[in-house]
Amino acid sequence: KGIQMQIPCVVSTWPFGVAANKAAWAILSKGGRALDAVEAGVRIPEADLRNHTVGRAGYPDRDGHVTLDASIMDEHGNAGSVAAMEYIAHPISVARAVMEKTPHVMLAGEGATKFAIEQGFKREELLTPESKKAWQEWLKTAKYKPEANIETKSYGLGTPGGAKNHDTIGMLAIDAKGNLSGACTTSGMAWKVRGRVGDSPI
């Protein structure tokens, strides 16, 4: 028997999606817009210092730089994204600003960071002491073997899914009016080559 979905509804990936869903549901349950819900939802793991695959506590690239990717889409098919952005803790909100305030769909690298600061986002160092320590430990061997599906390992929950099942956190929500929106945000693979961008912002 199939699952009967009722609206509003929110779904997301990985165990840390539970807390993200709660934040999204706080908006949806009051008749809020799906776009606001998915942005608010994925901001939770972006701020979670235990989460080394998303946001400000993400593990850095092989050169020690934390670079973040994110994308968002509203019920009309409008989209915005950022890729390889540094120094901004909430890439999902910058992606939304790209969608709503520019004629573009994606901004990358220094341009994305510059745009974010112009929009009032705070520039800050994202490499946390814990992530820096993990990076310095990795440097001892510097074996570059990117590992998909590490999202649950930092939470001690093993690795479900197939080897190609990787998105860090993806979230979809449909609100009481039937509007569907989605968001995805990631710090990418740990110890990646500087400049590497995955499929999350695309």
Side-chain angles (χ1 to χ4, degrees):
K1 187 176 179 180
I3 296 172
Q4 298 296 315
M5 186 187 79
Q6 297 181 353
I7 61 173
C9 182
V10 58
V11 295
S12 65
T13 55
W14 308 112
F16 47 79
V18 174
N21 285 1
K22 287 180 181 177
W25 186 249
I27 293 171
L28 294 172
S29 64
K30 296 175 182 174
R33 186 180 176 199
L35 184 69
D36 296 327
V38 295
E39 179 188 9
V42 301
R43 282 176 62 98
I44 299 301
E46 283 183 341
D48 185 352
L49 296 181
R50 297 175 305 154
N51 193 327
H52 299 297
T53 68
V54 186
R56 63 171 304 111
Y59 282 154
D61 61 25
R62 59 172 56 185
D63 298 327
H65 301 273
V66 177
T67 61
L68 307 178
D69 308 326
S71 62
I72 195 164
M73 181 177 282
D74 71 11
E75 67 272 21
H76 304 294
N78 298 311
S81 66
V82 291
M85 184 176 69
E86 295 184 63
Y87 305 115
I88 307 295
H90 288 291
I92 196 63
S93 295
V94 183
R96 181 170 179 175
V98 171
M99 177 180 73
E100 295 180 335
K101 298 181 180 182
T102 80
H104 308 304
V105 174
M106 177 182 284
L107 295 179
E110 292 180 14
T113 302
K114 182 175 183 288
F115 169 75
I117 293 168
E118 289 171 351
Q119 294 299 312
F121 290 89
K122 180 182 177 184
R123 179 188 171 102
E124 54 189 312
E125 177 55 62
L126 300 182
L127 186 62
T128 64
E130 187 177 357
S131 291
K132 184 176 182 179
K133 182 178 179 182
W135 171 61
Q136 290 173 332
E137 187 64 28
W138 175 81
L139 283 174
K140 292 178 181 178
T141 58
K143 290 181 180 178
Y144 184 57
K145 189 177 180 183
E147 187 176 357
N149 292 331
I150 65 169
E151 282 82 355
T152 57
K153 283 191 174 180
S154 60
Y155 283 72
L157 298 171
T159 306
K164 296 182 179 179
N165 180 18
H166 182 81
D167 60 12
T168 304
I169 185 167
M171 175 177 281
L172 294 172
I174 187 167
D175 61 35
K177 295 180 180 178
N179 296 318
L180 179 68
S181 294
C184 189
T185 182
T186 182
S187 56
M189 290 183 170
W191 336 130
K192 61 194 173 187
V193 173
R194 183 152 171 76
R196 183 263 182 187
V197 173
D199 60 350
S200 295
I202 297 168

